[in-house]
Amino acid sequence: MTATLETPTALSDVDAAVTLSGVRKVFGHGPAGVVALDGVDLTVAPGEFVCLLGASGCGKSTLLNLVAGLDAPTSGRIELTTSRPAVMFQEAALMPWLTAARNVELPLRLAGVKRGARREKASELLSLVRLVGAGHKRPHELSGGMRQRVALARALASTLGAAEEGTPGLLLMDEPFAALDAITRDVLQAELVRVWRETSTAIVFVTHDVREAVRLGQRVVLLSSRPGRVVREWSTVDCDEPVVIDEITTHLREVISGHAAA
Amino acid sequence: MPQLDTDLSAVGAGLDALDAPSQEQRPSLWKRFVRTTVPPLIAFALLLGAWQALWALAFWPEYQLPSPGSVWAAVAEAVETGRAFEVLWTSVSRAVLGFLTAVVIATPLGLLIAKVRVVRAAIGSLLTGLQSLPSVAWVPAGILWFGATPSTIYFVVLMGSVPSIANGLVSGVDQIPPLLPRVGQALGAGRMAAARHILLPAALPGYLAGLKQGWAFSWRSLMAAEIIATSPQLGEGLGQYLHNGSALNDISMVIAAIFLILLVGVGIELLVFRPLERAVLRARGLTGAL
């Protein structure tokens, strides 16, 4: 493993928000080590909405952690041209001692933004996720869907708030709607697409739900399991949704049943 | 891709209205007062009645079981002569000063133990052990090292309260959901910023419990030190007052001293720690125990 180990750096390559080349991640050492990702090449264009799809054990979350800079790849390169990426998890993970507005302000506060500007940005983002008037509420006073929207506003604050004007943002989402009920999930998916259009942020969205992936993404990337590799990609712009869903589902099943023998 | 038509946003607004947890109505001030004040008053009155009855039955001689009236007279006399306030002030100021010093020492110590593995392995169990060591055990050593001076008193108070406060903070940090520090990292918090904005506030309930216990330990350590270490140099605190009562074979004075010691303990709990704890837990939606 001689490849360069680089932390995400801005490059002149402007037509890609994220570039992964030959990314490999091994947990543990020697023969006992588990290869989570192997030779992953992936490019996300600025403002693109990409869905990563795969069964459990395909290293989706590992991949997100690497792009977010929470973990370093064993080998390979990850290049970002965006501002600092923001991560959203399956749980909203709001700070329970802060109000909704203060939660949104937190990343700005950590970035040293002045109080007045912070307040203004937070209320702007809260109205973007349709939570005007809920800013003074504590997380326990909000429903699951509302909490996840506060988390979305906080993620946007984290990637857009402290960056220079014009720097594109990057949102990494790790099955953010998996814990919500079907109706709420439906509404939040639509909200996310609306917010994405309004903010022109690039989104990498991890899910194991084919329908969700096809519905949200402009591009669906299927990953294999153990080790995770890119198997195939589908563009979902102007496609026949049911046909693509069927095709991807068949493919996903093949990938999963390939593990039965092993 | 879905279009967000007005229908769906209306559905979203409806969901928000339906799913948001309903706000419980806080009962009125009067009701809360009745609920929290009346039961302890009744318990106190019953206790007093039982005491009076036992005294009236005269099972024990007067010098062992005084009447509530004579204890009250001892308290009233101490209050009238102003002695009660001097004694209370001496002890409470010592306890508060000792407690605040303990907080200053124990907070960084607790953070170190919680976050640095080597430190935890080295002194974590020692600290827990110290917590179970009665701080009275330090009084003889303190007298040998510092003489019968205030230093001995403060030494004993610190040995009593520092372990509780540090341990409270450690368990507070241990109970933080692991996702929160990760979110902090993802939001760009460095080590110091994470401690200030995520670790400490997240550990606050445990820390507060530690502070509460630390106060109780500093108060009882102080009493132990004052009862054992008496000298003119030390002035008269509650502990000395109790000691004097015992020396004079004045059971009314002894019970009066115990009453005053309890009064301070209950008073600080009700005036300082209960409201603090309530405010912290309520803000986090942890209202079950309140």
Side-chain angles (χ1 to χ4, degrees):
Chain A
M1 278 165 261
T2 51
T4 39
L5 256 176
E6 269 188 23
T7 45
T9 45
L11 283 192
S12 54
D13 190 8
V14 199
D15 46 325
V18 187
T19 315
L20 283 83
S21 34
V23 169
R24 179 181 164 86
K25 178 69 186 175
V26 185
F27 289 107
H29 298 281
V34 176
V35 184
L37 295 169
D38 194 16
V40 174
D41 297 306
L42 184 70
T43 311
V44 178
E48 194 185 11
F49 198 140
V50 176
C51 286
L52 295 182
L53 187 72
S56 26
C58 72
K60 297 171 290 194
S61 303
T62 309
L63 193 62
L64 274 201
N65 284 342
L66 294 182
V67 177
L70 294 175
D71 209 347
T74 311
S75 65
R77 292 161 68 93
I78 298 174
E79 285 147 18
L80 298 181
T81 58
T82 59
S83 57
R84 225 169 42 74
V87 195
M88 242 181 102
F89 302 95
Q90 189 169 337
E91 289 148 69
L94 301 176
M95 306 300 157
W97 58 92
L98 295 176
T99 60
R102 288 301 172 87
N103 263 292
V104 178
E105 280 179 43
L106 185 61
L108 304 174
R109 203 168 167 192
L110 292 169
V113 178
K114 291 252 173 357
R115 178 188 264 202
R118 226 157 62 196
R119 292 266 156 88
E120 202 177 308
K121 188 80 198 165
S123 71
E124 194 184 299
L125 286 168
L126 278 176
S127 70
L128 179 66
V129 295
R130 294 185 201 271
L131 280 174
V132 183
H136 64 280
K137 294 205 170 165
R138 309 260 177 186
H140 71 268
E141 297 170 315
L142 302 171
S143 71
M146 292 163 97
R147 263 179 250 163
Q148 208 50 288
R149 268 146 63 206
V150 175
L152 176 61
R154 182 176 66 179
L156 288 170
S158 149
T159 186
L160 298 174
E164 278 173 49
E165 206 57 43
T167 317
L170 173 62
L171 208 52
L172 306 169
M173 310 183 86
D174 193 353
E175 304 191 23
F177 306 144
L180 299 173
D181 65 88
I183 304 172
T184 308
R185 184 160 56 229
D186 209 42
V187 172
L188 279 196
Q189 285 170 348
E191 291 277 330
L192 178 63
V193 170
R194 183 179 57 80
V195 167
W196 167 64
R197 290 213 176 105
E198 285 181 30
T199 57
S200 63
T201 305
I203 298 182
V204 179
F205 189 103
V206 159
T207 179
H208 55 242
D209 181 345
V210 179
R211 239 163 239 290
E212 186 175 56
V214 172
R215 185 183 178 197
L216 292 175
Q218 295 174 296
R219 191 148 60 96
V220 176
V221 176
L222 179 64
L223 293 175
S224 64
S225 298
R226 284 184 206 132
R229 283 196 188 96
V230 175
V231 177
R232 218 184 125 174
E233 294 187 10
W234 286 266
S235 168
T236 57
V237 183
D238 303 323
C239 70
D240 188 355
E241 259 188 43
V243 175
V244 176
I245 290 175
D246 277 351
E247 197 183 318
I248 298 179
T249 306
T250 315
H251 234 89
L252 180 61
R253 285 188 181 152
E254 274 169 25
V255 169
I256 295 171
S257 46
H259 283 271
Chain B
M1 255 172 272
Q3 297 297 318
L4 183 79
D5 37 36
T6 39
D7 277 339
L8 210 44
S9 74
V11 173
L15 279 178
D16 287 353
L18 288 173
D19 288 348
S22 56
Q23 298 302 307
E24 43 161 339
Q25 289 286 314
R26 283 188 75 177
S28 69
L29 198 70
W30 169 247
K31 252 192 184 150
R32 269 186 288 154
F33 176 76
V34 168
R35 250 185 239 171
T36 53
T37 320
V38 172
L41 282 181
I42 292 176
F44 186 65
L46 285 176
L47 200 70
L48 220 58
W51 178 7
Q52 178 75 30
L54 276 176
W55 173 77
L57 290 172
F59 282 137
W60 296 280
E62 187 82 25
Y63 64 83
Q64 280 180 350
L65 184 73
S67 72
S70 66
V71 171
W72 181 247
V75 174
E77 191 211 322
V79 170
E80 266 163 35
T81 56
R83 190 177 175 193
F85 301 110
E86 276 169 43
V87 166
L88 276 174
W89 172 246
T90 308
S91 287
V92 170
S93 63
R94 274 176 188 162
V96 168
L97 191 63
F99 173 70
L100 292 180
T101 315
V103 171
V104 171
I105 297 173
T107 304
L109 184 68
L111 271 182
L112 270 179
I113 293 173
K115 295 311 287 180
V116 184
R117 197 169 298 178
V118 189
V119 179
R120 182 186 288 233
I123 59 172
S125 339
L126 178 69
L127 204 72
T128 314
L130 276 179
Q131 216 179 345
S132 61
L133 180 77
S135 45
V136 198
W138 292 107
V139 178
I143 290 174
L144 288 177
W145 288 334
F146 308 109
T149 60
S151 304
T152 301
I153 304 248
Y154 286 118
F155 169 70
V156 175
V157 169
L158 287 184
M159 290 315 280
S161 53
V162 166
S164 297
I165 300 173
N167 262 331
L169 184 52
V170 170
S171 69
V173 171
D174 288 348
Q175 284 169 20
I176 298 175
L179 190 56
L180 293 187
R182 262 190 77 203
V183 168
Q185 203 190 347
L187 293 178
R191 260 187 105 83
M192 288 310 285
R196 155 86 184 75
H197 291 290
I198 289 148
L199 224 56
L200 279 176
L204 191 57
Y207 183 48
L208 212 60
L211 287 180
K212 198 167 134 178
Q213 205 190 25
W215 163 258
F217 272 56
S218 50
W219 183 239
R220 68 155 87 158
S221 310
L222 177 71
M223 289 306 110
E226 284 186 349
I227 291 169
I228 299 178
T230 50
S231 81
Q233 233 183 316
L234 285 173
E236 193 186 34
L238 264 174
Q240 278 94 353
Y241 179 72
L242 175 66
H243 180 85
N244 293 344
S246 161
L248 295 170
N249 269 333
D250 183 348
I251 186 68
S252 300
M253 195 169 154
V254 168
I255 304 271
I258 291 176
F259 173 72
L260 288 176
I261 293 173
L262 262 175
L263 196 70
V264 172
V266 174
I268 298 276
E269 157 76 18
L270 286 184
L271 292 177
V272 180
F273 289 105
R274 186 76 61 89
L276 255 179
E277 205 171 28
R278 241 167 225 249
V280 166
L281 294 184
R282 193 179 290 278
R284 290 159 203 242
L286 304 168
T287 48
L290 302 175

